[in-house]
Amino acid sequence: ALLCSRMQPSKDKNTEKAEPFYRLPVPKKKTSSEIINEARNVLRTLKTQRPFTPTEAQRKLFGSGSSRAPQNRPPSVFSLHASSFDLAESRPVSGVRLSPLDHKPVLVTFAKDEDSSISLPKPPADAAEIRKLSSARARFFRRTSWGNFLSAKMVPPGQNEEKIDTEEPAMMNDLCRSNNNRLAEQRSYAPFNDESRQLICNEHISRLEKEDSLKGTARKVLFQLRGESDQMKKPGTSSSWPRSPGWKRGVTGSEGETRINESEEEEIFWHIKILPILHELEKVEDNIENLCLACTKLYQALNEGNMLGKRFKRRSVLLKILYKLVDIDSDPLCLKLAKIILAMKVDGKNLLSVCKLAFKICRNEKNDYIIQNDRLLDCLLEVLRTEDLQKNSEALLYCMGAIKFMSGNAVLLNEMVNKGAVEMVLQLMKQINNVKENDTYFSNLGHLLVQLTATLRKLADFPPARCQFMCNGAVSELCVALEQRMNDKDICTYIIRIFSKLSSYSDFCAALADCYRCYILFLALLNKHQKQQDLVIRVVFILGNLTEKNNQAREQFFKERGSVNTLISLFQTYHELDLNAQKWYHERGREEKNHPKHPSEAEDVLIKLIRVLANLSIHPNVGAALAATHRIVELLVTVLEYKSVDDCEELVISAATTINNLSYYKMKSSAVQDKKLHIAELLLKLLMSNNMDGVVEAVRVFGNLSQYHEICDFIMQKKIYKFMIALLDAKDQDVCFSACGVLLNLTVDKNKRALLMEEGGIGKLVDCLQDFGPADWQLACLICKTLWNYSENITSAASCFGEDTDTLLVLLTSLLDDEVALDYSLDTDLRDNHKLYWEREFKPVAEKLLDRIQSHRSHLPAVTITPF
């Protein structure tokens, strides 16, 4: 019986299929050898490079390729000043908003009691005191004109200067009444109207009394500190400012009035720790370095005193000072300010302004280093985590934009992942996805979603982040966003870029393949944005990844309505674009060969698209349907017609591989079968090229097509068989395997067997068997099959195999000895698999061939074979 490349009848199916040249008879049960030789499967998937995404030259809220018109999107560049902040929003939380007074303030007198003595303000005792007060009053108004909101009261204890209090009268009373001296309190109320401010001044307190009061209280607290110093120095204890039970701020109220209590310790901490730093910040004539240092000390002091956040009485005074410093145009200083302002938990207009300030700082790539050292990221992630989406959508937009800029830095990107940024961003996306299309916020949230998806795209590049994508349900949320924002090209592009990156990894690819909704979405995108090359190329790349190893994904995509028609439409569109581009190059590049070496945009889409077709054809039912689709085969053949391997190697080889896959299906309706002679003529051009990958692919296709008599005649007529025999000298297993397959199919025809005697064909087959046999039982089996077909009508071993007879006899005897043959292994771990393949595939054919030769040979010669 002849051994040819025909598939044996299957017991499981009634239909019989023709077997290509390099596929051995299918074993009854799947063997592990199929895994070892996966690269040699008759149907092969295609791999390709992920589409290149260029880095934006400048950091912008929306990239240069954005589909949003400038007038319809928030600005990336804006001016930011102290006036951008709302001072009214800076007041501390009181719990109750008080109603405005509907009458003018009146002077109130208080009766003396046993504990306190309160009288009206008294004039200074002498002219010197009058001058001091006048001077202090003038300084107050002069300073507030340029933004100094510090009152004279804020000078640290010990300085010989009168103090003017701009706080509410009741707040100073709390401190004065807590002192042992029970200082007399005086209040002066100045009526105000629309044209002037109300100035509330505390009574004139003598310097000695005031210093004694503050120092006395400070001594009391410091005495307590000494007693607790040992405890504070113990490992694990906090070094922050000590707190007594009265340290906590609470809200008390009576008869509808509520105010924030401030403990005695907090008041002293403010004067001793905070005020000296604030006075440093007053000195705007100082250099930036000093101001930055002061801001660093201020943040540390506020953190130490638990004064960060909203429930801090002097928060408004502090924020007013910080807002004024924004006018100093310095990124290092503004970074310090932004960090403190964000830590103070501002909201409304102030939150928007400080997020814009952070955005402005992060927009400059040169600031990445100082941002790394100042931990601004923590503050921004906190905003992302806690702020209300609908109330602060614009602030979140610029906050997310700043984080997006940070993600362009490798150090900050790593920090983001470690701080759980992926989970936070996906949670925010989930909130946005819950907003319905008819909601008034829906449109504006699209701008935020652009920043969010752009950030996720950067995070997807970072290996440690990928598991977080998987753990936090990124696939489902991204698909929901893609479905809701199908009309927003910017959002679609970023989501597709995320999928493009992550689908290159098997775990994420499997998760995406299980989301059946994604196939419908991808087809909708391809139909809607067919001429958007940057979007189309990534979608087809993703589809190629999904169908590369997943048979269920191949079937699911093929079943979607209009899937094949969409692929054909894309193929035609980009084929025409490529033809026009090639015509343009030919017209303008006759004197200089300036055709680009890398694939053009149209060529790149075609490469990815053909890869999808090749991968789909692996599925038996899908492959048979594609092979019968004449338009697909016509387009593939057209690629081979107008494109040479020198023009675009990957495109031509991909087209040849796909034709090879489709040629596997032997049916009357096969479009490949109808065009087989024309395909053979095109393959001859590829075979004669200097591109070895192209040559091997052409040989593979000839291996399938050579099962047809017309193609065998074509091979003989064009002397292609000589080329196949020459390839046996390539010393490459895959090349020898492909060439041997064509020769095997040629030897099925009795009239063509003599070709092996030409060009030393028998000797080269024996050499291949000796060189590769023990390491590649599949190739060894193919060689034995070819020699078996060739020797069907043998009369004498010597006349049939010539001078190679003795070598072949000894070689077969040696390879059939399991002790000798299986002693050689490329990898000892694969010994059992090699043995299984040797027993089931190689041994039956080799034993028959050996018996045939021995039966036509009287004695066994003494021929030395080189040990394996």
Side-chain angles (χ1 to χ4, degrees):
L2 291 177
L3 290 178
C4 62
S5 54
R6 296 287 180 185
M7 180 182 288
Q8 300 300 319
S10 173
K11 294 182 180 179
D12 300 326
K13 296 183 180 181
N14 295 325
T15 59
E16 181 177 340
K17 295 183 179 179
E19 179 69 21
F21 76 91
Y22 48 86
R23 182 160 180 153
L24 296 175
V26 179
K28 295 179 181 180
K29 294 182 180 180
K30 185 177 180 180
T31 66
S32 56
S33 61
E34 294 175 354
I35 301 175
I36 302 171
N37 298 283
E38 184 178 358
R40 287 244 183 99
N41 281 345
V42 57
L43 303 180
R44 296 181 305 115
T45 58
L46 286 175
K47 295 183 180 295
T48 186
Q49 291 184 343
R50 186 166 55 87
F52 173 70
T53 303
T55 305
E56 289 284 346
Q58 292 181 331
R59 291 182 175 181
K60 295 180 180 179
L61 195 61
F62 299 94
S64 56
S66 174
S67 61
R68 286 166 163 74
Q71 65 271 18
N72 296 330
R73 67 191 190 196
S76 293
V77 180
F78 41 78
S79 59
L80 205 61
H81 307 286
S83 58
S84 304
F85 294 86
D86 186 0
L87 302 182
E89 292 184 9
S90 304
R91 61 177 178 272
V93 176
S94 61
V96 175
R97 186 181 294 275
L98 301 180
S99 302
L101 296 176
D102 56 358
H103 60 85
K104 294 184 178 180
V106 296
L107 196 62
V108 182
T109 59
F110 297 87
K112 296 183 180 179
D113 56 24
E114 295 178 358
D115 296 327
S116 62
S117 176
I118 303 177
S119 61
L120 296 176
K122 297 179 181 179
D126 51 35
E129 291 294 331
I130 293 175
R131 286 192 297 272
K132 288 181 180 178
L133 283 178
S134 299
S135 176
R137 184 175 175 82
R139 284 197 304 274
F140 175 82
F141 283 110
R142 183 169 64 252
R143 289 181 180 177
T144 54
S145 66
W146 61 267
N148 178 15
F149 295 94
L150 285 177
S151 66
K153 182 188 107 174
M154 296 180 183
V155 179
Q159 294 190 15
N160 296 326
E161 184 178 347
E162 295 297 330
K163 299 173 173 58
I164 302 175
D165 190 2
T166 60
E167 299 288 337
E168 295 181 12
M171 295 180 179
M172 189 61 188
N173 290 344
D174 290 340
L175 175 62
C176 294
R177 289 182 183 135
S178 67
N179 295 336
N180 292 332
N181 294 331
R182 297 294 185 182
L183 300 177
E185 301 178 358
Q186 298 179 352
R187 290 290 184 270
S188 174
Y189 298 89
F192 62 96
N193 51 37
D194 293 341
E195 299 178 357
S196 62
R197 301 181 184 177
Q198 178 187 19
L199 178 63
I200 302 176
C201 299
N202 286 344
E203 63 175 330
H204 173 61
I205 304 174
S206 67
R207 289 191 301 274
L208 293 177
E209 287 179 330
K210 191 167 186 180
E211 289 178 6
D212 288 345
S213 171
L214 290 174
K215 289 179 179 178
T217 308
R219 280 195 299 270
K220 186 190 304 180
V221 175
L222 293 174
F223 179 76
Q224 294 173 358
L225 288 179
R226 290 192 201 98
E228 299 174 2
S229 60
D230 294 337
Q231 184 179 0
M232 292 174 62
K233 292 179 181 179
K234 292 180 180 179
T237 59
S238 173
S239 61
S240 62
W241 188 262
R243 286 172 287 181
S244 66
W247 178 261
K248 297 180 180 178
R249 304 185 200 94
V251 179
T252 62
S254 61
E255 298 180 2
E257 290 190 3
T258 307
R259 64 183 180 84
I260 299 174
N261 287 336
E262 183 181 43
S263 68
E264 188 174 290
E265 290 88 346
E266 185 179 81
E267 176 72 11
I268 296 171
F269 188 90
W270 170 264
H271 283 84
I272 293 177
K273 289 280 190 176
I274 307 298
L275 282 181
I277 303 174
L278 295 182
H279 280 288
E280 291 182 38
L281 293 175
E282 282 189 271
K283 303 173 183 178
V284 292
E285 66 276 5
D286 276 6
N287 59 38
I288 299 299
E289 187 177 349
N290 291 341
L291 291 174
C292 289
L293 183 60
C295 285
T296 300
K297 292 192 294 183
L298 177 61
Y299 181 87
Q300 293 172 348
L302 290 170
N303 187 47
E304 181 184 353
N306 289 326
M307 293 179 175
L308 297 174
K310 290 188 175 183
R311 307 198 66 82
F312 169 46
K313 188 181 72 172
R314 290 188 172 85
R315 178 173 176 269
S316 60
V317 178
L318 175 65
L319 287 173
K320 290 173 185 177
I321 297 169
L322 299 178
Y323 295 158
K324 287 298 179 182
L325 291 173
V326 173
D327 284 334
I328 302 176
D329 189 16
S330 166
D331 284 354
L333 177 60
C334 286
L335 174 61
K336 303 283 186 181
L337 296 173
K339 182 180 175 183
I340 300 175
I341 295 171
L342 285 170
M344 298 303 292
K345 306 295 183 184
V346 295
D347 53 17
K349 180 180 178 182
N350 292 338
L351 178 61
L352 171 59
S353 295
V354 73
C355 286
K356 282 186 172 182
L357 184 62
F359 175 88
K360 178 175 174 287
I361 296 165
C362 296
R363 189 175 59 207
N364 188 347
E365 191 173 351
K366 295 178 181 178
N367 292 332
D368 284 355
Y369 180 74
I370 60 174
I371 292 172
Q372 293 173 27
N373 297 330
D374 230 317
R375 307 182 73 82
L376 176 64
L377 177 61
D378 292 347
C379 300
L380 295 177
L381 289 178
E382 182 66 13
V383 171
L384 214 62
R385 189 180 64 85
T386 59
E387 294 300 332
D388 182 79
L389 175 62
Q390 296 185 357
K391 181 181 177 182
N392 297 308
S393 61
E394 190 176 1
L396 287 170
L397 168 71
Y398 285 101
C399 174
M400 197 72 242
I403 294 174
K404 177 186 72 174
F405 293 153
M406 289 185 184
S407 67
N409 179 279
V411 176
L412 291 170
L413 187 66
N414 182 55
E415 187 178 346
M416 283 184 196
V417 175
N418 293 336
K419 294 181 183 299
V422 175
E423 181 180 2
M424 293 182 197
V425 174
L426 287 174
Q427 283 297 322
L428 182 59
M429 173 178 276
K430 187 174 184 179
Q431 294 180 46
I432 297 174
N433 288 342
N434 289 334
V435 178
K436 303 305 178 184
E437 190 170 356
N438 56 358
D439 198 298
T440 54
Y441 296 98
F442 184 83
S443 179
N444 286 335
L445 289 177
H447 302 316
L448 172 57
L449 200 53
V450 171
Q451 310 308 311
L452 189 151
T453 50
T455 305
L456 286 176
R457 167 62 187 84
K458 291 286 188 181
L459 288 165
D461 265 333
F462 196 54
R466 286 199 290 272
C467 62
Q468 295 187 25
F469 275 89
M470 294 291 296
C471 297
N472 291 286
V475 171
S476 59
E477 291 302 330
L478 287 168
C479 284
V480 171
L482 189 62
E483 185 171 8
Q484 291 181 349
R485 307 283 174 167
M486 188 67 68
N487 294 323
D488 193 322
K489 180 179 175 293
D490 292 349
I491 294 175
C492 291
T493 299
Y494 281 121
I495 293 178
I496 290 303
R497 284 178 176 176
I498 296 169
F499 284 151
S500 174
K501 176 63 181 179
L502 293 179
S503 65
S504 300
Y505 301 92
S506 57
D507 52 352
F508 188 90
C509 191
L512 182 59
D514 289 340
C515 182
Y516 294 152
R517 186 69 181 165
C518 74
Y519 304 107
I520 300 175
L521 295 176
F522 293 152
L523 287 170
L525 276 175
L526 291 175
N527 289 316
K528 188 176 187 63
H529 303 284
Q530 190 169 108
K531 293 190 177 181
Q532 300 292 335
Q533 188 270 349
D534 59 331
L535 190 61
V536 168
I537 192 172
R538 286 170 176 81
V539 174
V540 293
F541 175 75
I542 296 165
L543 290 173
N545 290 341
L546 292 173
T547 56
E548 184 177 352
K549 298 179 180 179
N550 192 322
N551 220 30
Q552 189 176 2
R554 295 166 188 148
E555 183 177 13
Q556 184 65 36
F557 175 78
F558 179 76
K559 285 182 178 179
E560 295 297 340
R561 184 178 180 181
S563 59
V564 175
N565 289 335
T566 298
L567 296 180
I568 292 174
S569 177
L570 283 173
F571 205 143
Q572 291 176 164
T573 298
Y574 284 90
H575 167 61
E576 291 172 3
L577 290 173
D578 189 36
L579 279 176
N580 294 335
Q582 184 164 300
K583 182 179 178 181
W584 185 88
Y585 277 109
H586 286 167
E587 289 176 352
R588 297 174 182 267
R590 292 178 179 176
E591 295 182 1
E592 50 179 331
K593 296 181 180 180
N594 56 354
H595 193 280
K597 294 297 181 183
H598 57 82
S600 65
E601 290 184 350
E603 287 173 336
D604 211 6
V605 172
L606 291 174
I607 289 168
K608 271 65 173 177
L609 184 59
I610 291 174
R611 175 184 178 231
V612 175
L613 294 172
N615 293 349
L616 286 172
S617 65
I618 304 296
H619 190 285
N621 297 332
V622 177
L626 293 178
T629 307
H630 284 254
R631 187 54 184 153
I632 287 179
V633 176
E634 287 172 3
L635 288 168
L636 291 169
V637 169
T638 303
V639 171
L640 298 181
E641 288 175 340
Y642 83 95
K643 188 75 68 174
S644 73
V645 72
D646 294 329
D647 291 337
C648 186
E649 175 184 340
E650 188 177 1
L651 177 57
V652 172
I653 292 177
S654 295
T657 301
T658 307
I659 290 173
N660 180 50
N661 284 359
L662 297 178
S663 68
Y664 169 74
Y665 300 98
K666 304 297 185 291
M667 310 170 298
K668 291 182 179 180
S669 60
S670 172
V672 176
Q673 184 175 343
D674 291 345
K675 296 180 178 295
K676 55 182 177 292
L677 276 175
H678 182 47
I679 292 173
E681 292 174 351
L682 296 172
L683 290 174
L684 183 58
K685 181 177 65 172
L686 183 59
L687 197 63
M688 296 297 114
S689 70
N690 294 324
N691 188 293
M692 197 59 191
D693 291 333
V695 169
V696 172
E697 200 57 51
V699 173
R700 285 194 178 114
V701 184
F702 271 119
N704 265 358
L705 295 181
S706 60
Q707 295 179 39
Y708 298 102
H709 295 296
E710 299 93 327
I711 301 302
C712 288
D713 293 340
F714 178 83
I715 291 174
M716 298 299 294
Q717 179 186 354
K718 299 294 182 179
K719 308 292 184 182
I720 297 175
Y721 69 90
K722 293 186 177 182
F723 194 82
M724 301 300 168
I725 294 174
L727 287 176
L728 296 176
D729 285 330
K731 302 303 179 184
D732 181 276
Q733 287 174 247
D734 288 333
V735 174
C736 292
F737 186 88
S738 300
C740 188
V742 177
L743 297 175
L744 168 62
N745 286 338
L746 289 175
T747 58
V748 173
D749 190 337
K750 297 178 180 180
N751 299 324
K752 297 180 175 64
R753 292 170 184 167
L755 63 89
L756 286 183
M757 294 301 293
E758 298 182 27
E759 310 296 332
I762 298 297
K764 291 179 180 181
L765 286 172
V766 174
D767 289 342
C768 283
L769 184 62
Q770 184 171 351
D771 292 340
F772 303 121
D776 192 339
W777 294 119
Q778 192 175 15
L779 174 57
C781 179
L782 202 60
I783 294 171
C784 289
K785 283 184 174 183
T786 304
L787 295 174
W788 173 265
N789 284 355
Y790 166 74
S791 61
E792 181 186 14
N793 298 322
I794 185 173
T795 56
S796 167
S799 61
C800 185
F801 297 104
E803 61 183 13
D804 297 300
T805 305
D806 296 341
T807 304
L808 180 59
L809 278 171
V810 176
L811 184 58
L812 288 173
T813 303
S814 177
L815 292 176
L816 286 169
D817 182 354
D818 57 350
E819 293 296 330
V820 176
L822 298 178
D823 181 60
Y824 178 88
S825 177
L826 296 174
D827 188 339
T828 54
D829 294 336
L830 297 177
R831 178 181 298 275
D832 293 339
N833 293 328
H834 277 266
K835 183 177 181 180
L836 187 64
Y837 204 96
W838 175 81
E839 288 177 345
R840 292 191 176 186
E841 305 298 335
F842 171 76
K843 186 178 179 180
V845 180
E847 284 179 339
K848 288 182 179 181
L849 180 61
L850 180 60
D851 289 343
R852 174 179 284 181
I853 297 173
Q854 287 178 337
S855 65
H856 293 82
R857 177 83 177 194
S858 58
H859 65 279
L860 186 65
V863 179
T864 303
I865 299 295
T866 306
F868 299 118

